[in-house]
Amino acid sequence: MKPLPSLAAGFAGALALTALHETVRRLRPEDAPRMDVLGMRGLRKLLRKADAPQPDRDTLFDLTMAGDILSNGLYYTLVGSGKHALRRGLLLGVAAGVGGVVLPGPMGLGEGPSNRTPQTRAMTVAWYTVGGLVAGAVAQALRKR
């Protein structure tokens, strides 16, 4: 698959993932994954290490959302890099979701946002899997064109 369709598929998956996260966190604040919180913690940590000024909360949130869409979009671009896009989307989505549950603690970002309840862990893996499957479906559709 050519680079532009792969990018389109990847960013479709990233947008679906972000929309799902943001919708569910408003509907189920008690147990929804809070990947936005992890992203803001990570960005604050990077800015501190770089001795850069800390943005206000609204700016931090906006930067985090942009960074999430960019990084997830580039990650999901791998889905469209060949045949079997749905299978690749499933596998990459599950891998990202498991990473979203397992890695924040060792990275010093805290475990609560993605690991506080069994439902939170399941939703984290499920949402990233949905993003991968959307990327796979878009990649397949663009391949057929």
Side-chain angles (χ1 to χ4, degrees):
M1 189 169 208
K2 295 183 180 182
L4 201 52
S6 288
L7 281 169
F11 281 95
L15 290 170
L17 168 64
T18 301
L20 190 53
H21 270 300
E22 288 302 299
T23 300
V24 175
R25 82 172 177 89
R26 287 176 173 81
L27 296 174
R28 295 183 60 140
E30 67 282 353
D31 62 358
R34 293 299 309 270
M35 304 316 275
D36 58 313
V37 171
L38 289 175
M40 289 188 288
R41 288 176 183 173
L43 183 53
R44 284 215 188 273
K45 194 173 184 178
L46 285 172
L47 292 171
R48 269 194 299 279
K49 285 186 187 265
D51 288 326
Q54 294 287 325
D56 63 68
R57 182 161 172 77
D58 289 341
T59 303
L60 183 67
F61 179 80
D62 292 345
L63 290 170
T64 299
M65 288 296 102
D68 281 351
I69 291 168
L70 178 63
S71 60
N72 289 322
L74 292 174
Y75 176 75
Y76 286 135
T77 296
L78 297 171
V79 170
S81 63
K83 294 181 180 179
H84 311 294
L86 274 178
R87 184 180 336 150
R88 191 175 298 108
L90 173 68
L91 295 174
L92 286 171
V94 169
V98 170
V101 172
V102 173
L103 294 176
M107 292 173 68
L109 301 175
E111 295 180 1
S114 64
N115 201 10
R116 76 182 158 279
T117 68
Q119 293 85 1
T120 307
R121 290 188 288 276
M123 282 188 269
T124 300
V125 174
W127 297 172
Y128 280 95
T129 302
V130 166
L133 290 172
V134 167
V138 170
Q140 268 190 344
L142 291 175
R143 180 183 285 279
K144 289 179 183 177
R145 268 186 358 122

